[in-house]
């Protein structure tokens, strides 16, 4: 019988689908940390994805019930560890709301600058590693260099380059000096060039665009219904930004834009992040020139606040106050109330739900982690994509495992 | 008419308790009326964004009468209005209706509450443990569970140099 | 053969020493990066600190290709079986660096979920303390490990075979046992 190619095609097209299962993670370079996905594949196409998480669940919230408001700042640091200071700012934002403390203007500006530096830091690592996973190593190295400069800045302010533990109830640990201001200024000056360089490297790079454009589409309705916030939601056209909607710190006085896009795919998310960095730089510029003089911590007369070091060493009132705040069996009265307070973290709405029971410890310290909510979206948006797109989508979602699992 | 008044007039028999602390507006609702209230808020009042579901174990809280409080934070994305809705459930079998049919974001949030507190959500499509291992038997955020656990963290074989 | 007949470009040494020298200067790390320390590990490998200067920059994510495991970050009870499995998958000779307070001792996380030091369950050769350790510190650790390999290694790895005891503290120390018993008693009295 003569050989006919069309016979072969019929033979090879089976009726039923052959699905196979692939385990992705929990230790895989593209997960950046520890996530696990069970993918069901039809050839290269992802039919179904089941995320398994909890590989970094370390009991943050349980610890929060055993440490006081100032001590717990060392723990929240470790939550979203690519922008540690922002967690501290959010946590103390919630605590200060519970205690009813109004910050001094200088502290508000200082924290705003730090928060925006952290936003830049977060977006730098995210866009850098997103490019790295898709094969672009250079952008990652360029951006990491800028991260090192931000590390230097926070190190000058707090003494630690990574987990700073810098904020305190009613202020920060130490005030900053002029050398710090100069460092921030010189960072801003140099940043634009690097940013433009990476724009040239990636934004119109054919290889990069083909891996991200049209991949991982998320519509605006889905975003709202599934609780997505932050740059992810804004890349889908949801104009929500807590900095504008519920202004906190100094954001009400500042002039900045909310960046959004209608694309909804990985490319739009990349563009939104890139542009947000530019806006953050603008915010920092405005703040650093107008940073008010005056004390950085609120008056130590308010019971919950750690007094300044000179007054601890030189006056008996200061010493007593310090003792009262620091000793585990003393403490200060707090309202027997509950509060939910959220800030716009680099990743989205980072909220804290604190239950106070009258002691300086929270009875329950709950975090509303943006990564957790965002990762729940993953199975839906990866459907019918190729296996290689898993990496691109994971990169654009910016899942931080410690925040995901807590 | 404010949202609280609308809710009061819509559910007069439920005995809603409204209060405000700082900028948090709160409504306490009995567990039976939770589902209709959430559905009404989503459907008629336009609260289309569920930011948060969490729970609190009031076992050691001074003056508390109920064991668990479950908190929902809902947002109206058009107006930016934010409301905290709270309800109480009790041992021995804490069950609440699931909000998954209204907001998909409830999926993992409810699973976490189940994992950490053992509060079940009826009607949830896939209520499994999410953060702790499947064979874990306790609910770690309950107040009667010790901070350092009951030895689960030590329950592994030891590998020495000689066996590797 | 008299010493003076040996040409200049030939060195005499023990085979063990030569092998150890080669191993020490071509470490291939397997970054078991779980948490924040992993970001510092990334920083160590990238532009400013550049781990390549010390011959240990070839990060491979497949355990089969590596001989140095860097446990960077806390390991929790769900992750420990994975860690042990990856350790067993690495070919001999292999070394392990425990980077950061969490991997060494549990660090600030003395909670129900976090393993209190990976050295209780896998062998560890070198500890780099800090939360997170600065990149300089990690590099100092790697240099110290190279030193250790150069001085202690044998060709057939017999130095490893002798260590049949777990190297860290035993998983259950006395306090822990007492505490666990109390917690369980409390549980019984509650029910
Ligand atoms: S030692 Fe510190 S930096 Fe390292 S993983 Fe632990 S908490 Fe994070």
């Amino acid at each position: 019988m003569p050989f006919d190619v069309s016979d072969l095609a019929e033979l090879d097209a089976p009726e039923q689908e052959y699905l196979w299962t692939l385990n992705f993670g929990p230790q895989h370079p593209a997960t950046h940390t520890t996530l696990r996905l069970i993918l069901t594949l039809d050839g290269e196409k992802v039919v179904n994805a089941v995320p398994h998480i909890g590989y970094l669940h370390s009991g943050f919230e349980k610890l929060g019930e055993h440490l006081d408001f100032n001590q717990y700042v060392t723990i929240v640091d470790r939550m979203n560890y690519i922008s540690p200071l922002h967690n501290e700012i959010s946590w103390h934002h919630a605590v200060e709301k519970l205690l009813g403390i109004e910050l001094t203007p200088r502290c508000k500006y200082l924290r705003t600058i730090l928060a925006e530096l952290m936003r830049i830091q977060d977006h730098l690592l995210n866009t850098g590693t997103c490019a790295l996973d898709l094969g672009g190593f250079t952008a990652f190295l360029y951006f990491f260099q800028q991260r090192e400069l931000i590390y230097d800045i926070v190190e000058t302010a707090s003494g630690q380059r990574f987990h700073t533990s810098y904020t305190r109830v009613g202020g920060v640990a130490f005030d900053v000096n002029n050398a710090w201001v100069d460092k921030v200024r010189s960072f801003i000056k140099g940043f634009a060039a690097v940013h433009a360089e990476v724009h040239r490297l990636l934004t119109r790079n054919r290889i990069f665009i083909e891996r991200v454009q049209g991949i991982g589409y998320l519509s605006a309705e889905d975003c709202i219904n599934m609780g997505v916030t932050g740059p992810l939601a804004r890349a889908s056209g949801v104009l929500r930004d807590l900095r504008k909607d519920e202004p906190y710190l100094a954001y009400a006085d500042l002039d900045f834009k909310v960046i959004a896009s209608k694309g909804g795919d990985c490319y739009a998310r990349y563009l939104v992040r890139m542009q947000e960095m530019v806006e953050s730089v603008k915010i920092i510029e405005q703040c650093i020139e107008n940073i008010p003089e005056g004390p950085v911590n609120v008056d130590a007369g308010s019971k919950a606040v750690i007094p300044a070091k000179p007054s601890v060493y030189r006056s008996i009132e200061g010493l007593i106050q310090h003792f009262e705040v620091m000793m585990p069996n003393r403490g200060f009265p707090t309202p027997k109330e509950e509060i939910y307070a959220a800030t716009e973290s680099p990743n989205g709405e980072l909220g804290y739900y604190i239950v106070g029971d009258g002691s300086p410890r929270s009875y329950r310290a709950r975090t509303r982690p943006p990564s957790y909510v965002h990762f729940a979206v993953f199975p839906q948006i990866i459907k019918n994509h190729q296996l290689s797109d898993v990496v691109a989508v994971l990169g654009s979602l910016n899942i931080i495992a410690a925040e995901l699992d807590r | 008419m404010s949202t609280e008044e609308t809710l009061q007039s819509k559910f007069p028999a439920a005995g809603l308790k409204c209060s405000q602390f700082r900028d948090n507006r709160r409504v306490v609702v009995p567990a039976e009326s939770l589902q209709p209230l959430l559905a009404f808020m989503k459907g008629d009042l336009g609260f289309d964004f569920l930011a948060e579901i969490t729970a609190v174990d009031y076992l050691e809280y001074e003056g508390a009468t109920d064991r668990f409080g479950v908190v929902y934070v809902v947002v109206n994305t058009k107006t930016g209005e934010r409301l905290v809705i709270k309800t109480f459930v009790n041992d021995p079998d804490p069950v609440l209706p699931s909000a998954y049919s209204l907001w998909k974001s409830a999926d993992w949030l409810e699973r976490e509450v189940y994992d950490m507190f053992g509060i079940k959500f009826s009607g949830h499509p896939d209520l499994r443990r999410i953060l702790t291992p499947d064979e874990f038997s306790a609910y770690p955020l309950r107040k009667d569970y010790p901070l350092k656990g009951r030895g689960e963290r030590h329950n592994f074989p030891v590998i020495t140099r000689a066996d590797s | 053969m008299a010493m003076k007949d040996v040409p200049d470009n030939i060195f005499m040494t023990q085979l063990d020493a030569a092998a150890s020298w080669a191993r020490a200067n071509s470490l291939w790390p397997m970054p078991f990066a779980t948490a924040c320390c992993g970001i510092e590990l990334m920083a160590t490998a990238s532009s400013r600190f550049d781990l390549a200067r010390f011959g240990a920059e070839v990060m491979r994510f497949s355990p089969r290709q590596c001989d140095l495991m860097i446990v960077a970050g806390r390991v929790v009870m769900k992750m420990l079986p994975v860690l042990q499995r990856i350790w067993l998958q690495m070919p001999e000779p292999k070394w392990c660096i425990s980077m950061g307070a969490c991997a060494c001792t549990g660090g600030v996380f003395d909670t129900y979920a976090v393993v209190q030091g990976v050295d209780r369950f896998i062998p560890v050769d070198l500890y780099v303390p800090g939360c997170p350790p600065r990149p300089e510190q990690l590099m100092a650790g790697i240099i110290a490990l190279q030193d250790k390999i150069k001085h202690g290694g044998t060709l057939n790895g017999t130095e490893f075979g002798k260590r049949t005891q777990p190297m860290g503290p035993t998983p259950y120390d006395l306090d822990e046992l007492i505490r666990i018993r109390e917690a369980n008693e409390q549980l019984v009295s509650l029910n």
Side-chain angles (χ1 to χ4, degrees):
Chain A
M1 204 173 108
F3 175 70
D4 188 352
V5 183
S6 59
D7 290 351
L8 201 63
E10 259 171 41
L11 268 181
D12 271 358
E15 289 294 293
Q16 93 256 44
E17 294 170 274
Y18 285 104
L19 301 182
W20 57 290
T21 311
L22 181 75
N23 176 41
F24 187 94
Q27 172 60 28
H28 184 279
T31 62
H32 296 288
T33 37
T34 51
L35 326 164
R36 182 168 170 218
L37 300 166
I38 308 284
L39 303 168
T40 310
L41 301 172
D42 174 9
E44 280 240 12
K45 201 174 80 189
V46 180
V47 182
N48 196 11
V50 182
H52 283 246
I53 66 170
Y55 289 90
L56 202 54
H57 173 66
S58 2
F60 279 79
E61 291 177 6
K62 190 86 180 173
L63 261 177
E65 297 166 4
H66 292 80
L67 299 177
D68 74 26
F69 292 138
N70 274 324
Q71 288 168 331
Y72 190 50
V73 84
T74 56
I75 307 294
V76 291
D77 249 350
R78 282 137 180 93
M79 220 171 289
N80 181 346
Y81 43 71
I82 61 176
S83 52
L85 244 163
H86 203 286
N87 300 319
E88 300 171 13
I89 291 170
S90 299
W91 163 248
H92 275 148
H93 172 70
V95 171
E96 278 145 13
K97 213 174 196 185
L98 175 75
L99 303 181
I101 294 174
E102 178 72 20
L103 292 175
T104 61
R106 184 175 174 83
C107 183
K108 278 188 184 165
Y109 271 74
L110 183 55
R111 283 198 190 175
T112 311
I113 297 172
L114 289 168
E116 290 308 315
L117 280 174
M118 286 302 127
R119 193 179 312 280
I120 296 176
Q121 199 181 28
D122 194 300
H123 289 350
L124 283 176
L125 190 80
N126 179 247
T127 40
T129 49
C130 190
L132 175 68
D133 291 343
L134 302 178
F137 197 31
T138 323
F140 171 75
L141 288 180
Y142 282 10
F143 271 174
F144 223 96
Q145 187 58 28
Q146 295 301 303
R147 271 176 70 88
E148 289 289 344
L149 298 179
I150 299 181
Y151 279 150
D152 278 354
I153 293 173
V154 293
E155 189 175 6
T156 316
S158 72
Q160 231 282 29
R161 64 183 234 128
F162 202 93
H163 290 315
T164 49
S165 306
Y166 184 51
T167 61
R168 297 284 182 273
V169 178
V172 293
F174 330 97
D175 199 356
V176 295
N177 54 15
N178 286 338
W180 184 83
V181 173
D182 290 343
K183 269 197 176 166
V184 177
R185 282 208 186 105
S186 78
F187 166 75
I188 299 173
K189 220 182 265 160
F191 181 74
V194 180
H195 188 267
E197 188 111 13
V198 174
H199 248 313
R200 281 203 293 280
L201 270 174
L202 292 179
T203 309
R204 291 173 57 219
N205 182 334
R206 182 93 181 269
I207 305 171
F208 182 72
I209 291 180
E210 285 189 353
R211 290 289 304 271
V212 291
Q213 203 160 39
I215 302 295
Y217 178 73
L218 196 58
S219 71
E221 296 77 50
D222 280 350
C223 276
I224 293 180
N225 197 2
M226 303 186 86
V228 176
T229 49
L232 250 63
R234 289 195 285 275
S236 299
V238 182
L239 277 177
R240 279 189 82 233
D241 189 329
L242 294 182
R243 291 177 294 173
K244 282 272 190 223
D245 300 346
E246 302 167 14
Y248 54 97
L249 293 180
Y251 287 114
D253 324 344
L254 300 169
D255 171 33
F256 64 99
K257 290 203 225 55
V258 175
I259 308 295
S261 153
K262 280 195 178 150
D265 56 359
C266 292
Y267 191 51
R269 286 172 212 143
Y270 158 78
L271 290 176
V272 165
R273 288 208 173 94
M274 286 295 267
Q275 202 54 36
E276 272 192 7
M277 286 194 253
V278 177
E279 287 303 313
S280 295
V281 168
K282 263 191 220 156
I283 296 178
I284 298 172
E285 268 170 350
Q286 293 169 34
C287 290
I288 201 87
E289 298 314 328
N290 302 320
I291 186 163
E293 290 299 322
V296 69
N297 290 350
V298 298
D299 186 16
S302 114
K303 275 284 173 234
V305 182
I306 302 172
K309 274 279 134 55
S311 91
V312 176
Y313 292 138
R314 303 217 180 91
S315 74
I316 187 72
E317 295 79 21
L319 189 61
I320 292 175
Q321 164 85 13
H322 183 85
F323 189 76
E324 293 277 331
V325 175
M326 289 300 189
M327 292 303 281
N329 56 351
R330 308 290 299 186
F332 44 89
T334 54
K336 257 186 108 174
E337 277 289 357
E338 319 192 345
I339 198 140
Y340 177 81
T343 57
E344 182 75 23
S345 86
N347 236 349
E349 176 174 334
L350 176 61
Y352 284 96
Y353 189 84
I354 306 180
V355 180
D357 62 349
S359 75
R361 233 161 264 114
S362 41
Y363 183 78
R364 167 105 169 90
R366 152 78 182 172
T367 319
R368 187 250 184 219
S371 292
Y372 186 79
V373 183
H374 292 170
F375 198 40
V377 181
F378 182 78
Q380 184 185 336
I381 60 179
I382 198 62
K383 267 204 190 120
N384 295 330
H385 282 53
Q386 302 283 312
L387 176 58
S388 55
D389 299 335
V390 171
V391 175
V393 173
L394 268 182
S396 77
L397 287 183
N398 193 17
I399 308 295
I400 310 300
E403 188 185 66
L404 176 75
D405 299 341
R406 281 152 295 126
Chain B
M1 200 153 64
S2 78
T3 311
E4 284 93 335
E5 284 164 14
T6 320
L7 288 176
Q8 289 282 21
S9 60
K10 175 79 185 171
F11 300 94
L16 305 179
K17 284 194 233 62
C18 302
S19 60
Q20 178 151 10
F21 178 65
R22 315 276 186 232
D23 63 354
N24 275 18
R25 291 154 60 202
R26 304 176 298 190
V27 180
V28 178
V29 54
E32 313 82 72
S33 321
L34 179 71
Q35 182 68 17
L37 183 112
L38 290 180
F40 177 70
M41 297 197 70
K42 162 95 199 278
D44 298 84
L45 299 182
F47 282 83
D48 47 1
F49 183 84
L50 175 72
E52 165 80 317
I53 300 178
T54 187
V56 185
D57 181 359
Y58 287 105
L59 184 65
E60 293 162 5
Y61 200 77
E62 223 173 89
T65 49
D66 299 281
R67 174 85 196 258
F68 299 108
V70 180
V71 179
Y72 296 74
V73 179
V74 288
V75 185
N76 183 337
T77 49
K78 303 262 158 29
T79 59
E81 224 179 325
R82 206 179 262 276
L83 217 59
V84 180
I85 297 168
K86 195 168 167 193
T87 186
F88 291 101
V89 277
N90 275 304
D91 274 344
D93 188 23
V95 185
L96 278 179
S98 167
Y100 178 73
S101 53
L102 301 170
W103 296 281
K104 281 202 195 143
S105 53
D107 183 357
W108 279 26
L109 292 169
E110 285 177 354
R111 274 178 73 184
E112 187 182 353
V113 170
Y114 167 69
D115 189 359
M116 293 290 141
F117 291 92
I119 298 172
K120 294 200 186 66
F121 290 90
S122 58
H124 189 284
D126 183 21
L127 199 65
R128 284 179 290 131
R129 285 193 173 265
I130 185 161
L131 295 177
T132 51
D134 291 339
E135 61 276 6
F136 204 68
S137 58
Y139 298 109
L141 280 184
R142 288 192 176 183
K143 286 282 172 182
D144 51 11
Y145 185 78
L147 171 67
K148 296 183 187 174
R150 301 203 181 103
E152 294 92 341
R153 63 185 183 183
H154 294 299
N155 225 349
F156 299 100
V158 179
I159 296 182
T160 65
R161 266 292 187 184
D163 13 280
S164 56
Chain C
M1 190 165 63
M3 227 27 194
K4 67 176 182 339
D5 298 334
V6 178
D8 280 353
N9 55 356
I10 291 190
F11 294 98
M12 300 276 218
T13 180
Q14 288 171 321
L15 192 52
D16 276 354
S20 307
W21 171 81
R23 279 172 190 159
N25 291 306
S26 64
L27 289 171
W28 284 32
M30 149 94 213
F32 191 88
T34 54
C36 357
C37 281
I39 305 292
E40 280 299 70
L41 185 58
M42 242 188 222
T44 318
S46 53
S47 3
R48 186 185 282 185
F49 295 99
D50 195 8
L51 195 56
R53 292 177 293 158
F54 305 98
E57 87 284 15
V58 204
M59 302 262 179
R60 283 292 179 273
F61 291 90
S62 159
R64 297 284 186 213
Q65 303 174 347
C66 301
D67 54 5
L68 167 64
M69 178 187 263
I70 303 183
V71 185
R74 53 190 171 277
V75 177
V76 306
M77 55 182 178
K78 212 169 170 176
M79 197 66 179
L80 192 81
V82 181
L83 173 69
Q84 289 188 325
R85 188 156 168 184
I86 289 181
W87 172 254
L88 289 179
Q89 281 174 351
M90 283 168 58
E92 289 280 3
K94 56 191 172 187
W95 296 272
C96 176
I97 290 184
S98 134
M99 173 186 180
C102 288
C104 297
T105 64
V108 288
F109 295 99
D110 193 358
T111 61
Y112 56 92
V114 180
V115 172
Q116 300 296 298
V118 293
D119 53 356
R120 291 167 186 236
F121 300 106
I122 63 166
V124 171
D125 291 283
L126 194 110
Y127 301 83
V128 183
C131 184
R134 294 183 63 99
E136 295 94 331
Q137 212 170 337
L138 178 63
M139 288 187 299
I142 288 179
I143 294 170
L145 183 71
Q146 288 176 338
D147 206 46
K148 185 172 173 179
I149 297 172
K150 275 184 210 158
H151 286 98
T154 53
L155 192 61
N156 49 10
T158 41
E159 80 272 21
F160 295 147
K162 289 184 206 121
R163 301 191 219 157
T164 51
Q165 291 293 313
M167 293 149 99
T170 47
Y172 290 97
D173 41 26
L174 196 59
D175 302 358
E176 194 75 33
L177 273 180
I178 295 172
R179 211 185 40 64
I180 292 169
R181 200 174 56 228
E182 273 169 7
N184 285 331
E185 270 163 18
Q186 204 186 359
L187 184 71
V188 171
S189 68
L190 274 177
N191 293 338

